[in-house]
Amino acid sequence: MAYESKILGVGSFVPAKAYTNFDLEKMLDTSDEWIQQRTGIIKRHWVEGNVSNTDLAVEACKEAMEKAKVSHDDIDMIIFATLSPDHDFPGNACFLQEKLNIPAGIAALDIRQQCTGFVYGLSIADQFIKSGQYKNILLVGSEVHSKGLDRTPEGRNVSVLFGDGAGAAVIGRSDGESKVFGSLLHADGRFAKELWVAAPGTGNEEGERISTNMLDKKLHYPYMNGRQVFTHAVKRMAESLSTLMASHKMSIDDVDLFLFHQANIRINDKVAEILEIDSSKVFNTIADYGNTTAATIPIGMNDALKAGKLERGMVVGIAAFGAGFTWGSNIIVY
Ligand code: ACO
């Protein structure tokens, strides 16, 4: 028997402490004007002390499960999208399972598509629900970027962009109008080193995973070719979404709300311009959180619900782009 899948409930969480652009001016040789003009970011939240990625995820998941009216006993799979896991291995899905007291024996999967993680995860969850193999899948995107950023003037081009946070959704069987309509997933590994962290890793020229030389060269911090990312993000997000809409014989007018990955307000404005989407239909959160990578879409979804901009029955177009390069889109009836 074939099933349709739908989002049963959504949750999100960001750490309490917010850093405004003015706070960053004191540590990074930057300015509120530079950051706002180029990115649209006003503040971002960063964890304190020993708070981990899965600590944030736990809070987002609890809210999502409560809203979905499912208990920890009902979850039969976890899909965890992150680029900033608690530890190199095992994956965050296992640590999260233990923290949420989800019974032994379920499937736990970590995926690594960076900013496109939630879009990939939603498609994977949809396939598992459609096949009938699983009934309630906990999909989470969570990041603690702050512990992996070069928060000195040398790292300012990247560090001002990223925030910590988590967003989660429970995906289950649809019993009516709400459903995941379709998804498109893409990648182009020729650009893998245009946005990446080299170390630790077994692919380094030195033949070591990590060394003091690598630390001295700051290879454990992200490198980004900002202009390449910008150009490709605009092109690919617009392309994926329009192809997906066309394959379902939908036009922009059929979509009630657009949730785009939150990397840069100018990227999203350009995508909207290319697709001729009225800006009132695009829900952005970047001003408040910065770029939380795999968490931007579910955080945006939850904020849109709380703001009354998203309701059951609305058609939502989702698109994201990230390191890899990876990109993709989903259309859902919420
Ligand atoms: N504060 C002040 N000045 C800065 C900062 C900063 N934080 N960072 C860089 N600058 C300076 C540079 O040193 C440079 O100075 P110079 O002209 O004296 O050499 C000047 O600003 C311009 O630097 P560029 O890197 O050329 O700035 P650009 O206009 O390209 O903007 C930005 C940088 C905002 C990152 C842009 O390339 C961009 O939007 N790229 C998209 C990438 C993105 O959004 N990535 C997010 C993560 S990836 C993802 O989620 C898809």
Side-chain angles (χ1 to χ4, degrees):
M1 184 167 168
Y3 302 93
E4 298 281 7
S5 77
K6 77 169 194 178
I7 294 180
L8 300 177
V10 184
S12 61
F13 184 78
V14 294
K17 190 156 173 56
Y19 291 77
T20 65
N21 296 341
F22 296 106
D23 294 325
L24 266 50
E25 282 183 359
K26 292 174 203 142
M27 49 172 126
L28 288 175
D29 186 21
T30 187
S31 70
D32 174 61
E33 191 192 3
W34 192 98
I35 299 171
Q36 280 212 51
Q37 268 184 8
R38 285 195 168 65
T39 72
I41 299 167
I42 294 173
K43 65 181 173 73
R44 72 290 289 141
H45 294 248
W46 284 342
V47 297
E48 293 177 277
N50 63 357
V51 174
S52 77
N53 180 315
T54 54
D55 291 336
L56 305 187
V58 162
E59 300 305 322
C61 290
K62 280 182 179 166
E63 186 187 350
M65 290 194 291
E66 199 182 310
K67 288 198 187 145
K69 299 191 174 60
V70 300
S71 88
H72 58 276
D73 289 330
D74 301 320
I75 301 294
D76 43 20
M77 182 186 206
I78 298 171
I79 302 174
F80 204 122
T82 188
L83 63 72
S84 53
D86 287 9
H87 302 283
D88 264 14
F89 76 88
N92 264 11
C94 292
F95 290 111
L96 181 71
Q97 179 190 3
E98 196 270 332
K99 285 186 178 177
L100 287 174
N101 203 17
I102 294 174
I106 63 137
L109 175 69
D110 274 47
I111 59 169
R112 301 188 51 183
Q113 282 67 34
Q114 296 64 245
C115 303
T116 322
F118 197 84
V119 168
Y120 265 70
L122 186 54
S123 177
I124 295 167
D126 182 39
Q127 309 306 322
F128 274 115
I129 299 286
K130 277 190 173 134
S131 74
Q133 187 162 353
Y134 298 117
K135 269 190 184 166
N136 293 300
I137 299 177
L138 186 56
L139 169 61
V140 53
S142 180
E143 304 292 356
V144 171
H145 280 297
S146 54
K147 296 185 190 183
L149 297 172
D150 178 5
R151 288 192 269 179
T152 70
E154 220 179 306
R156 66 180 182 174
N157 66 322
V158 172
S159 298
V160 300
L161 305 174
F162 291 98
D164 302 339
V170 180
I171 321 295
R173 286 180 184 170
S174 172
D175 51 5
E177 191 190 11
S178 297
K179 64 173 178 172
V180 176
F181 236 87
S183 307
L184 286 178
L185 309 177
H186 322 267
D188 189 346
R190 289 175 300 172
F191 298 96
K193 293 186 178 176
E194 299 296 343
L195 178 55
W196 74 312
V197 178
T202 57
N204 289 302
E205 281 173 17
E206 272 188 39
E208 301 280 343
R209 272 186 85 249
I210 189 75
S211 67
T212 45
N213 182 41
M214 290 183 207
L215 293 172
D216 290 344
K217 286 163 120 179
K218 299 197 170 190
L219 296 186
H220 58 302
Y221 291 131
Y223 163 82
M224 178 181 72
N225 181 340
R227 299 219 171 149
Q228 277 272 30
V229 173
F230 192 101
T231 313
H232 285 260
V234 170
K235 180 172 180 279
R236 296 308 202 174
M237 280 165 64
E239 192 179 86
S240 182
L241 202 47
S242 60
T243 308
L244 183 59
M245 285 189 300
S247 70
H248 289 280
K249 300 195 170 24
M250 292 173 117
S251 76
I252 293 295
D253 292 341
D254 297 317
V255 181
D256 300 305
L257 188 75
F258 290 90
L259 293 173
F260 296 149
H261 170 54
Q262 304 289 306
N264 189 312
I265 196 75
R266 292 184 306 139
I267 292 177
N268 293 357
D269 288 348
K270 280 267 176 213
V271 173
E273 190 185 310
I274 292 169
L275 296 177
E276 298 182 12
I277 301 169
D278 191 282
S279 61
S280 64
K281 279 193 182 181
V282 182
F283 190 80
N284 289 312
T285 56
I286 188 152
D288 293 330
Y289 309 119
N291 182 350
T292 57
T293 311
T296 62
I297 306 248
I299 288 176
M301 202 176 278
N302 205 21
D303 277 12
L305 284 163
K306 287 177 187 162
K309 302 267 182 195
L310 175 60
E311 289 169 10
R312 283 284 172 206
M314 282 173 73
V315 177
V316 185
I318 299 170
F321 180 91
F325 290 152
T326 55
W327 66 98
S329 55
N330 322 101
I331 296 176
I332 64 169
V333 181
Y334 184 75

